[in-house]
């Protein structure tokens, strides 16, 4: 294998910035990036499948997992708990896969502390007006949820400085191209190349 360990990417954004669609499309154009499935106490939305979009658990189960040290990071977001399994991501990285975490800014901070080499990407909407429009147009959430998310959006945007890259999701295809560029650049870092592979293929004499 050319690449030693996989890279760990974090993608965060205020709700409504278009992160979910970006991630969905990214799966199609860079299929060998694995998305980590988080645990959450949030109830499944229509179309969400347990074990695919999230692993849905109740609060008691979630608290037991915190106590057992199962999470590399966890946070309360919009009133629900969300957490990333340490074992799930370490297994994928050790197998050489690039792993993408779609998590909030509190989680991003914890991941950077635990994995200083992780690459943090922050997605911004083109403007606050556009963000409001996008949130109001969404039918899946109640009005009070939208209000809460707008208030949270400003606090989340303040955290952009903890991130390595900022992508503005105005023209979708451009934003996607930016994300792909970041992933590709990370893959070809010298530190990611297995030295044995270079020696075997380019240096070793017959
Ligand atoms: P949603 O409920 O809309 O799927 O997600 C709400 C927010 O929680 C999003 O910002 C999403 O990125 C974040 N989130 C999802 N999984 C995790 C996780 O495992 N940890 C953290 N910290 N945030 C998460």
């Amino acid at each position: 294998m050319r690449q030693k360990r996989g890279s760990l990417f974090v993608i965060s954004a205020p709700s409504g910035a278009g992160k979910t669609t970006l991630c969905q499309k990214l799966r199609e154009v860079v299929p060998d990036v694995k998305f980590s499935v988080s645990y959450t106490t949030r109830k499944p939305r229509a179309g969400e499948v347990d074990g695919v979009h999230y692993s849905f658990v109740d609060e008691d189960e979630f608290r037991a997992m915190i106590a057992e040290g199962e999470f590399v990071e966890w946070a309360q977001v919009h009133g629900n708990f969300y957490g990333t399994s340490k074992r799930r991501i370490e297994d994928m990285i050790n197998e050489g896969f690039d792993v993408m975490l779609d998590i909030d800014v509190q989680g991003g901070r914890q991941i950077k502390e635990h994995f200083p080499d992780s690459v943090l990407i922050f997605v911004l909407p083109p403007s606050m007006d556009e963000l409001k429009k996008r949130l109001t147009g969404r039918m899946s959430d109640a009005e009070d949820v939208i209000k809460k998310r707008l208030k949270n959006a400003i606090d989340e945007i303040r955290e952009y400085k903890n991130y390595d890259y900022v992508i503005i999701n105005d023209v979708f295809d451009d934003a996607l191209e930016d994300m792909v560029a970041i992933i590709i650049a990370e893959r070809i870092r010298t530190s990611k190349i297995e030295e044995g592979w270079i020696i075997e293929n380019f240096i070793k004499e017959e």
Side-chain angles (χ1 to χ4, degrees), residues 19 38 42 45 54 73 75 77 82-84 102-104 107:
K19 182 182 57 168
S38 295
R42 171 168 77 59
R45 293 194 186 116
Y54 284 105
E73 67 75 33
V77 188
Y82 296 83
T84 305
D102 169 349
I103 61 177
D104 88 314

Side-chain angles (χ1 to χ4, degrees), residues 172-192:
F172 180 83
D173 286 348
D174 292 348
L176 183 65
E177 210 174 278
D178 288 349
M179 268 196 79
V180 173
I182 294 165
I183 292 166
I184 303 295
E186 201 54 32
R187 274 189 186 164
I188 58 175
R189 257 187 205 285
T190 310
S191 60
K192 290 284 167 193

Side-chain angles (χ1 to χ4, degrees), residues 124-186:
L124 278 176
S127 66
M128 277 318 264
D129 277 351
E130 181 61 26
L131 187 76
K132 276 182 209 160
K133 243 187 264 163
R134 288 181 190 177
L135 282 180
T136 318
R138 240 190 219 183
M139 298 307 289
S140 59
D141 293 312
E143 204 178 310
D144 59 329
V145 174
I146 293 168
K147 273 201 188 131
K148 193 153 71 170
R149 290 190 175 197
L150 257 179
K151 206 162 100 19
N152 287 341
I154 295 165
D155 291 334
E156 287 164 352
I157 290 170
R158 277 189 235 279
E159 299 276 330
Y160 84 94
K161 282 191 179 166
N162 295 331
Y163 283 69
D164 299 298
Y165 296 97
V166 174
I167 294 179
I168 304 200
N169 187 14
D170 186 0
V171 177
F172 180 83
D173 286 348
D174 292 348
L176 183 65
E177 210 174 278
D178 288 349
M179 268 196 79
V180 173
I182 294 165
I183 292 166
I184 303 295
E186 201 54 32

Side-chain angles (χ1 to χ4, degrees), residues 110-122:
Q110 296 172 62
I111 290 292
K112 195 68 171 182
E113 277 165 22
H114 200 89
F115 298 97
D117 290 345
S118 55
V119 178
L120 272 56
I121 305 168
F122 195 77

